[in-house]
Amino acid sequence: MPSYTAPVRDMQFILHELLKIDRYQDVLSGFAEATPDTIAAILEGAAQISQEVLQPLNRVGDREGCRLENGKIITPTGFKEAYAAVIEGGWTGLIGDPEYGGQGLPYVLGLAVSEMMASANMAFTMYPGLTSGAMEAIEIGGTDQQKALYLPKMISGQWTGTMNLTEPHCGTDLGLLRTKAEPQSDGSYRVTGTKIFISAGEHDLAENIIHLVLARIPGGPDGVKGISLFIVPKFLVNPDGSLGDRNAVSCGSIEEKMGIHGNATCVMNYDGAVGYLIGEAHKGLRTMFIMMNAARLGVAVQGLSQAEVAYQNAVAYCKDRLQGRALAGAKYPDKPADPIIVHPDIRRMLMTVKVFQEGARALAYWAGLQVDIIRKHPDPETRRKAEDVLGLLTPVMKAYFTDTGFTAANLCLQCFGGHGYIAEWGMEQFVRDARIAQIYEGANGIQALDLVGRKLPANKGRAIQLFFALVGGFCEKYEDNAALSPFIRPLTEALERLVEATQWLMQHAISNPDNGGAVSTDYLYMMALVTLGYQWAQVARICENQLSNPDDDSFDRQFYRNKLVAAQFFMEKVLPETMAHLAKIQAGADSLMALSAEAF
Amino acid sequence: MPSYTAPVRDMQFILHELLKIDRYQDVLSGFAEATPDTIAAILEGAAQISQEVLQPLNRVGDREGCRLENGKIITPTGFKEAYAAVIEGGWTGLIGDPEYGGQGLPYVLGLAVSEMMASANMAFTMYPGLTSGAMEAIEIGGTDQQKALYLPKMISGQWTGTMNLTEPHCGTDLGLLRTKAEPQSDGSYRVTGTKIFISAGEHDLAENIIHLVLARIPGGPDGVKGISLFIVPKFLVNPDGSLGDRNAVSCGSIEEKMGIHGNATCVMNYDGAVGYLIGEAHKGLRTMFIMMNAARLGVAVQGLSQAEVAYQNAVAYCKDRLQGRALAGAKYPDKPADPIIVHPDIRRMLMTVKVFQEGARALAYWAGLQVDIIRKHPDPETRRKAEDVLGLLTPVMKAYFTDTGFTAANLCLQCFGGHGYIAEWGMEQFVRDARIAQIYEGANGIQALDLVGRKLPANKGRAIQLFFALVGGFCEKYEDNAALSPFIRPLTEALERLVEATQWLMQHAISNPDNGGAVSTDYLYMMALVTLGYQWAQVARICENQLSNPDDDSFDRQFYRNKLVAAQFFMEKVLPETMAHLAKIQAGADSLMALSAEAF
């Protein structure tokens, strides 16, 4: 059976040493409260509930799945009690607005907590995760009255939330959406239509579910410009917050899926359900997309989370499993064989995952801090820059972290040999669970299009120029530092390749839009690699700095040395992939577009 | 529900136009019988049984799995009837030795048939597949009497076979094997021990199962030099071939696995079971490894098979699913949206899979032809060369085809968006089924070690020199051909990189054996890419040749043109990966081996 230990030390390193979040104590609200002691207590508390409550239910959820009986969904054994423990611990309100009962702590801290919970039990964590998304939409687009009515009980976890976008014939292309919302004389709407793939659409964990639903108000514009966003509660809510009638929304069936069996993926039928417009009519996608950007960061962290837990279990197995001898001679001659962690190819797999998840964690938390800055920083210029770079990197993180999270879980499965394929070891569940993250919240190909088609050209390339200045400035600053040269030199080269790819795009994507689409995924990967390289180079700088203090003989010296090895591995064994991506980009779209559809 | 149509046209192209197997009509036995008409009839017949009998059972097998009841295994609904149809059609004896009732047809033709069956139903196909492996061991190591006793009924499919290597504590490292075989006065042995992961170890498809079991004869040498191979029939066989007593071998339990649910993966208990030594005592691994080399080619084809069937279904979905508009403007303005096959990133995924499976098919069938040459060619030098190159490329194909087959099935799932994650579409089964092939018959990391540690240095590098001469000679021959230049130039560059990587290995792996292990997988991938590039360059040459004939206005012109586009895609969008692999190789083992085991 797999286990999970939250990587608290690495999280602390990122928050305090890499991001130095104490810099923001006097600048960002909630950061003063996030003292090192508070952070330590929160991380330990989240680790405890993740390890002791959520992780033991991960396999239960996979085995039992959810059942639909008489329109009600029964979640797997233990999920109800675990959810009660999560809200009892205040975890659903950690970063919530204090005005509505939240603790108002930094978003970046909430991200660390959500990583732990997702590592422990991804399917379970989606119930509160979807609530966060729904809350955010209400925060962005809701009236004060709507906020006051819904947010407190969602923050407390008493109610959960969902997002309803997809319909059977329309996933990515929301312009095809048909669900309609007919205005009523009392200002409400009647929502009718079918939504599919609704995670946590129905369940027995909470007393009410607040559905956020995209629908068309008849007479509005066609396509994406006529879509509005509605609040459709499972139970109508009286003005005093008490529950009223059951609304005409129901779960028609649940999907049998490859993974995340513990989370109910519902077909939701809206049969003239009472709904309340949120934000402006026909402008629903605007709110939805703001919220989805944050959700995409959350999904990126899910990718990382499955890599982390799979890695831990693979490491334990590789230290334990005796098979063969080290190539340079037996390491443990007294044992019948050496543990397989002595084998270089096993280490190649483990190191590949290690540098991914540690680097991705650093980047994800940096991104989380940008969310705090965007939401709370007093200086508009600082907020704008954070928004630019975060907007640029959100699709990159979503796609790269989930693709690589899946690959990483697979590498970890591979370390187990035949046992990895056997259900009881739990490794194959990580792979199946991780797989969804490459698809939902916008399939990864859509992320690449978002990057190349929208984020890159926006504001005449302001965001990418800022990014180049950031990474390039760092490289220049340390280019003469001999100790850092093994990190700065490859990063500089990779950045040059990315600049070259960007120039290629600028020259070729306008004349032939297919060129942009054809190279978008390669470009996204290049940017991901450069960005992770930048994280590792910063990590290396900090560690070199710490180790250069000869008086410090603390236990942590080994921690810093290990980080330097990991950074070296990233530069030598991962970053060279930028070469192949550049070459593929420069080949353009011709060989992709030449075949007729029939020729496939 | 997924469907499957055997790619007969591509198979014909490879057999007749690329491999020109009619060259061997007078040289290799069985090839005279394999006339174009016979080949066409066999391919059509195999396509029919695969499409109509095996494919409809693929999902049934996945859903139902196998059940163990009172020591007996019940295979999924329909498997028994399907197996009866397979043996009735003579498919188990297609390439079998005519002396024992086989049809003696070319091995390469059998490979094409096995690809179809595996595409249609991988779990089912493993039952006859394992029999082929067991038969081969008997053919290699058995006495005439053993051959006469067992082969006819295995060729006819009346009996099946298994291979028993793995024990709970010993998978890759067979030196740790404990199962013992005690000699009896009648020349037989009593075999005692537990074997795990035994595919098709018990089932209800055939009246007898011939287990091939690795065990130690007490008093023999320790480690791998004291392992012998035994025939252990489920029912003892009387000298006249009739069934005798039930032997003391039984299935203790079956594994719950990620995929291939239709195939029973058994824990086999041998409790003093009667066994018969096959080949020399203590030399059992030799026979086992000869057989495993052929089995590895079969597993490579499994990787390809899942890519093919996943591809077909992804293509159908992408032509059907309407979502969004082509980047350069609507292609089907009369429809509510364009089919997603217009999108370059969708095409990137489909083309990646297409060039993999078509290229891999060409290479696999070439390898199948080498097996025929090795077994049947009168000239020892020709046999020796075939053996050298096939030995070199077998681990390459096993690892690369199964890794890429899995990745390919995943890309095809991705084309379905959310629907790909839903069980009823069948795409996620291809992914789960394909996953095992990366592990069994030697995990892919072991294939890489076999390549770098054994095949490369064997006979002072004779095989790799032959390989370089083969590919290099081809490049030189056509280097001045302008029409072929888009194919020859990138292949030449990739070959140069591979030569460079080989030189690096020669210089660095002896001084530090960890260097060999550290770069083995990257080296294997480079070799796979160059070898597939060589296949595609040959395909391009043939197609250019056909198209340069202005009088030919046959329907097939489009086939050749499409192949040229695919070859271009491979050169531009796949082969550049050799750059990254070379850079990673040249970084050596340092960053992999620096960490202590505790630091992971």
Side-chain angles (χ1 to χ4, degrees):
Chain A
M1 288 283 288
S3 67
Y4 171 66
T5 306
V8 173
R9 176 64 187 93
D10 199 42
M11 292 173 168
Q12 296 269 23
F13 169 76
I14 294 168
L15 293 173
H16 297 301
E17 298 178 69
L18 191 60
L19 297 178
K20 296 187 183 24
I21 66 164
D22 59 348
R23 285 181 290 172
Y24 298 98
Q25 274 183 15
D26 303 327
V27 191
L28 303 177
S29 73
F31 277 63
E33 291 73 23
T35 62
D37 284 352
T38 302
I39 288 175
I42 285 170
L43 293 180
E44 289 303 337
Q48 194 179 1
I49 195 168
S50 298
Q51 294 163 194
E52 296 173 13
V53 178
L54 303 185
Q55 194 278 330
L57 295 175
N58 194 41
R59 185 152 152 74
V60 176
D62 186 57
R63 300 304 301 261
E64 291 187 16
C66 295
R67 298 199 313 279
L68 177 65
E69 288 181 6
N70 304 318
K72 291 185 177 176
I73 280 175
I74 297 121
T75 54
T77 307
F79 271 42
K80 219 168 164 171
E81 294 74 13
Y83 185 74
V86 166
I87 65 175
E88 171 69 24
W91 296 108
T92 55
L94 196 70
I95 62 164
D97 191 336
E99 201 181 327
Y100 303 107
Q103 298 169 57
L105 284 164
Y107 184 91
V108 60
L109 191 57
L111 211 57
V113 171
S114 75
E115 182 205 317
M116 290 185 195
M117 293 189 173
S119 281
N121 194 326
M122 181 165 147
F124 175 90
T125 307
M126 289 170 64
Y127 293 102
L130 268 295
T131 310
S132 302
M135 281 198 286
E136 196 167 343
I138 295 171
E139 276 169 19
I140 297 162
T143 61
D144 287 346
Q145 202 191 357
Q146 286 171 331
K147 291 181 196 175
L149 197 59
Y150 297 104
L151 290 181
K153 292 194 175 167
M154 295 174 85
I155 284 177
S156 74
Q158 205 172 335
W159 300 347
T160 66
T162 70
M163 304 194 288
N164 291 238
L165 289 77
T166 306
E167 300 180 5
H169 63 288
C170 115
T172 298
D173 188 352
L174 289 170
L176 303 174
L177 192 140
R178 290 181 198 145
T179 296
K180 65 170 191 266
E182 306 208 68
Q184 307 296 305
S185 54
D186 64 354
S188 72
Y189 292 77
R190 290 288 182 280
V191 177
T192 302
T194 300
K195 296 287 183 177
I196 63 169
F197 302 157
I198 308 308
S199 301
E202 176 60 42
H203 58 77
D204 54 3
L205 303 181
E207 65 183 32
N208 202 8
I209 302 175
I210 310 305
H211 302 291
L212 291 205
V213 183
L214 289 182
R216 289 184 185 284
I217 301 171
D222 284 343
V224 291
K225 288 177 180 162
I227 296 175
S228 307
L229 182 61
F230 298 87
I231 295 176
V232 184
K234 174 178 170 185
F235 287 97
L236 297 177
V237 179
N238 297 320
D240 66 354
S242 64
L243 297 188
D245 289 344
R246 182 74 165 81
N247 204 353
V249 48
S250 62
C251 170
S253 62
I254 54 176
E255 307 285 359
E256 193 194 334
K257 308 182 299 290
M258 185 181 191
I260 51 166
H261 296 161
N263 198 276
T265 304
C266 301
V267 174
M268 297 303 293
N269 296 321
Y270 293 85
D271 301 310
V274 176
Y276 308 100
L277 182 66
I278 179 167
E280 282 179 70
H282 315 313
K283 301 276 170 71
L285 280 191
R286 201 185 291 172
T287 309
M288 204 54 141
F289 275 121
I290 296 175
M291 182 204 61
M292 275 182 73
N293 244 2
R296 285 173 178 177
L297 178 55
V299 173
V301 170
Q302 287 179 346
L304 150 63
S305 77
Q306 297 307 291
E308 167 68 47
V309 67
Y311 170 79
Q312 291 186 13
N313 287 282
V315 166
Y317 186 83
C318 294
K319 288 181 187 171
D320 186 58
R321 176 76 171 172
L322 306 179
Q323 209 79 174
R325 290 296 184 187
L327 293 172
K331 282 259 171 79
Y332 298 83
D334 51 319
K335 292 187 176 178
D338 286 341
I340 61 175
I341 203 165
V342 305
H343 302 308
D345 193 66
I346 289 284
R347 284 171 169 251
R348 174 188 62 81
M349 296 193 278
L350 293 178
M351 288 297 293
T352 301
V353 180
K354 182 182 172 68
V355 303
F356 162 63
Q357 46 100 342
E358 292 182 8
R361 181 173 298 115
L363 178 56
Y365 293 8
W366 168 87
L369 181 58
Q370 304 313 302
V371 174
D372 282 309
I373 290 170
I374 292 165
R375 291 185 183 175
K376 299 172 174 175
H377 204 284
D379 175 39
E381 179 71 3
T382 305
R383 286 203 307 273
R384 202 266 300 158
K385 284 186 175 174
E387 231 169 309
D388 277 355
V389 186
L390 183 64
L392 188 73
L393 292 181
T394 295
V396 174
M397 289 184 284
K398 195 283 180 182
Y400 186 83
F401 287 13
T402 60
D403 279 358
T404 314
F406 176 73
T407 310
N410 260 306
L411 283 173
C412 294
L413 185 162
Q414 189 73 17
C415 293
F416 281 69
H419 298 282
Y421 200 65
I422 307 297
E424 67 176 315
W425 286 88
M427 299 304 289
E428 58 94 40
Q429 184 188 345
F430 298 137
V431 172
R432 288 184 291 103
D433 285 356
R435 186 66 183 85
I436 188 59
Q438 300 171 269
I439 300 171
Y440 62 18
E441 291 301 337
N444 286 354
I446 297 299
Q447 306 297 326
L449 268 187
D450 178 46
L451 171 66
V452 164
R454 201 173 299 148
K455 302 295 173 59
L456 215 51
N459 304 306
K460 298 183 183 164
R462 197 175 66 192
I464 186 73
Q465 293 308 330
L466 185 62
F467 176 82
F468 287 156
L470 201 66
V471 184
F474 178 85
C475 289
E476 272 175 40
K477 185 168 174 188
Y478 295 103
E479 67 183 345
D480 296 329
N481 183 321
L484 291 181
S485 154
F487 312 103
I488 300 297
R489 196 179 21 75
L491 177 61
T492 305
E493 288 166 11
L495 180 65
E496 282 162 6
R497 283 181 207 119
L498 181 63
V499 171
E500 208 176 328
T502 310
Q503 284 164 345
W504 187 93
L505 259 175
M506 284 161 52
Q507 286 158 13
H508 295 85
I510 295 168
S511 58
N512 176 3
D514 283 333
N515 275 328
V519 308
S520 56
T521 293
D522 280 304
Y523 187 82
L524 183 145
Y525 270 68
M526 280 191 90
M527 181 163 287
L529 290 164
V530 168
T531 314
L532 287 173
Y534 175 48
Q535 296 300 318
W536 275 115
Q538 291 177 87
V539 167
R541 188 190 67 79
I542 287 165
C543 294
E544 283 288 357
N545 204 35
Q546 290 285 353
L547 291 167
S548 66
N549 178 356
D551 296 335
D552 178 11
D553 60 351
S554 69
F555 170 77
D556 267 358
R557 291 184 73 81
Q558 199 54 53
F559 178 89
Y560 299 122
R561 280 195 207 100
N562 295 342
K563 280 279 185 199
L564 286 175
V565 171
Q568 182 195 348
F569 182 92
F570 186 88
M571 301 300 168
E572 292 179 354
K573 300 284 189 175
V574 182
L575 205 50
E577 286 162 19
T578 48
M579 297 185 212
H581 290 301
L582 177 60
K584 293 182 194 187
I585 287 170
Q586 289 171 331
D590 293 354
S591 64
L592 276 76
M593 305 312 289
L595 291 188
S596 69
E598 295 65 40
F600 276 86
Chain B
M1 288 282 289
S3 68
Y4 171 65
T5 306
V8 173
R9 176 65 187 93
D10 199 42
M11 291 174 169
Q12 296 268 24
F13 170 74
I14 294 168
L15 293 174
H16 297 301
E17 298 178 68
L18 191 61
L19 298 178
K20 296 186 181 29
I21 65 165
D22 58 348
R23 285 182 290 171
Y24 297 98
Q25 274 183 13
D26 303 328
V27 190
L28 303 177
S29 73
F31 277 63
E33 290 74 23
T35 61
D37 284 352
T38 302
I39 289 175
I42 284 170
L43 293 180
E44 288 303 336
Q48 193 180 2
I49 196 168
S50 298
Q51 294 164 194
E52 296 173 12
V53 178
L54 303 185
Q55 195 277 332
L57 295 176
N58 195 41
R59 185 153 153 72
V60 176
D62 187 56
R63 300 303 301 262
E64 291 187 16
C66 296
R67 298 199 315 279
L68 177 65
E69 287 181 7
N70 305 317
K72 291 184 176 176
I73 281 175
I74 297 120
T75 54
T77 306
F79 271 43
K80 219 168 163 171
E81 294 75 13
Y83 185 74
V86 166
I87 64 175
E88 171 69 25
W91 297 107
T92 56
L94 196 71
I95 62 165
D97 191 336
E99 200 181 329
Y100 302 108
Q103 298 169 57
L105 284 165
Y107 184 91
V108 59
L109 191 57
L111 211 58
V113 171
S114 75
E115 182 204 318
M116 290 185 196
M117 292 190 173
S119 279
N121 195 327
M122 181 165 148
F124 175 90
T125 307
M126 290 170 64
Y127 293 102
L130 269 293
T131 310
S132 302
M135 281 198 287
E136 195 166 345
I138 295 171
E139 275 169 19
I140 297 162
T143 61
D144 286 347
Q145 201 191 358
Q146 286 171 331
K147 291 183 197 175
L149 198 58
Y150 296 105
L151 291 181
K153 292 193 176 168
M154 295 173 84
I155 283 177
S156 75
Q158 205 173 335
W159 300 348
T160 67
T162 71
M163 303 195 287
N164 289 240
L165 289 78
T166 306
E167 300 180 5
H169 63 288
C170 114
T172 298
D173 188 352
L174 289 171
L176 302 174
L177 190 140
R178 289 182 197 144
T179 296
K180 64 170 193 264
E182 305 209 70
Q184 308 295 305
S185 55
D186 65 354
S188 74
Y189 292 78
R190 290 289 180 281
V191 177
T192 302
T194 299
K195 296 287 183 177
I196 64 169
F197 301 156
I198 308 309
S199 300
E202 176 59 42
H203 58 76
D204 55 3
L205 304 181
E207 66 182 31
N208 202 7
I209 302 174
I210 309 306
H211 301 291
L212 291 206
V213 184
L214 289 182
R216 290 185 184 283
I217 301 170
D222 285 342
V224 290
K225 288 178 180 161
I227 297 175
S228 308
L229 183 60
F230 297 89
I231 295 176
V232 184
K234 174 179 170 184
F235 287 96
L236 297 177
V237 179
N238 297 320
D240 67 354
S242 64
L243 296 187
D245 290 343
R246 181 75 165 79
N247 203 354
V249 47
S250 61
C251 170
S253 62
I254 54 177
E255 307 285 358
E256 192 193 334
K257 308 183 298 291
M258 186 180 191
I260 51 167
H261 296 161
N263 199 276
T265 304
C266 301
V267 174
M268 298 302 294
N269 296 321
Y270 293 84
D271 301 310
V274 175
Y276 309 99
L277 182 66
I278 179 166
E280 282 181 69
H282 314 314
K283 302 274 168 73
L285 279 192
R286 200 185 290 173
T287 308
M288 204 54 141
F289 274 122
I290 295 175
M291 182 205 60
M292 276 181 73
N293 244 2
R296 284 172 179 179
L297 177 55
V299 173
V301 169
Q302 287 180 348
L304 150 63
S305 78
Q306 297 308 292
E308 167 69 46
V309 67
Y311 170 78
Q312 291 186 12
N313 287 282
V315 166
Y317 187 82
C318 294
K319 288 180 186 172
D320 185 59
R321 176 76 170 172
L322 306 179
Q323 210 78 176
R325 290 295 183 188
L327 294 173
K331 282 259 171 78
Y332 299 82
D334 51 318
K335 292 188 177 177
D338 286 340
I340 60 175
I341 203 165
V342 305
H343 302 309
D345 194 65
I346 289 284
R347 284 172 169 251
R348 174 189 61 81
M349 296 193 277
L350 294 177
M351 288 297 294
T352 300
V353 180
K354 182 181 171 68
V355 303
F356 162 64
Q357 46 100 342
E358 292 182 9
R361 180 173 299 116
L363 178 55
Y365 293 8
W366 169 86
L369 180 59
Q370 305 312 303
V371 174
D372 283 308
I373 290 171
I374 291 165
R375 291 185 183 175
K376 298 172 174 176
H377 203 285
D379 175 40
E381 180 70 4
T382 305
R383 286 203 306 273
R384 201 266 300 159
K385 284 186 174 174
E387 230 169 312
D388 276 356
V389 186
L390 183 64
L392 188 73
L393 293 180
T394 295
V396 174
M397 289 184 284
K398 195 281 180 183
Y400 185 83
F401 287 14
T402 60
D403 278 359
T404 313
F406 176 74
T407 310
N410 259 306
L411 283 173
C412 294
L413 185 161
Q414 189 73 16
C415 293
F416 281 69
H419 298 283
Y421 200 64
I422 306 299
E424 66 176 317
W425 286 88
M427 298 305 288
E428 58 94 41
Q429 183 189 345
F430 299 137
V431 172
R432 288 185 290 102
D433 285 355
R435 186 65 183 85
I436 187 59
Q438 300 171 269
I439 300 171
Y440 62 20
E441 291 300 339
N444 285 355
I446 297 299
Q447 306 297 327
L449 267 188
D450 178 47
L451 172 66
V452 164
R454 201 173 298 151
K455 301 294 174 58
L456 215 51
N459 304 306
K460 297 183 184 163
R462 198 174 65 191
I464 186 75
Q465 293 309 330
L466 184 62
F467 175 82
F468 287 155
L470 201 65
V471 184
F474 178 85
C475 291
E476 272 175 40
K477 186 167 172 189
Y478 296 103
E479 67 183 346
D480 296 330
N481 182 321
L484 291 180
S485 153
F487 311 103
I488 299 298
R489 194 179 22 76
L491 177 60
T492 305
E493 287 166 12
L495 179 65
E496 281 163 6
R497 284 182 206 117
L498 182 63
V499 170
E500 208 176 327
T502 310
Q503 283 163 349
W504 187 94
L505 260 175
M506 284 161 54
Q507 286 157 15
H508 296 86
I510 295 167
S511 58
N512 177 3
D514 283 334
N515 275 328
V519 308
S520 55
T521 292
D522 280 305
Y523 186 82
L524 182 145
Y525 269 69
M526 280 192 91
M527 182 163 286
L529 291 163
V530 169
T531 314
L532 287 174
Y534 175 47
Q535 296 300 319
W536 275 115
Q538 291 177 86
V539 166
R541 188 189 67 78
I542 287 166
C543 294
E544 284 287 357
N545 204 35
Q546 291 284 354
L547 291 167
S548 66
N549 178 356
D551 297 334
D552 177 13
D553 60 351
S554 69
F555 171 77
D556 267 357
R557 290 185 74 81
Q558 199 54 53
F559 178 89
Y560 299 123
R561 279 197 207 99
N562 295 342
K563 281 279 184 198
L564 286 175
V565 171
Q568 182 195 348
F569 182 91
F570 185 88
M571 300 301 168
E572 292 179 354
K573 298 285 189 175
V574 182
L575 205 50
E577 287 162 18
T578 48
M579 297 185 212
H581 290 300
L582 177 60
K584 293 183 192 185
I585 287 170
Q586 289 171 332
D590 293 352
S591 64
L592 276 76
M593 304 311 290
L595 291 188
S596 70
E598 294 66 40
F600 277 86

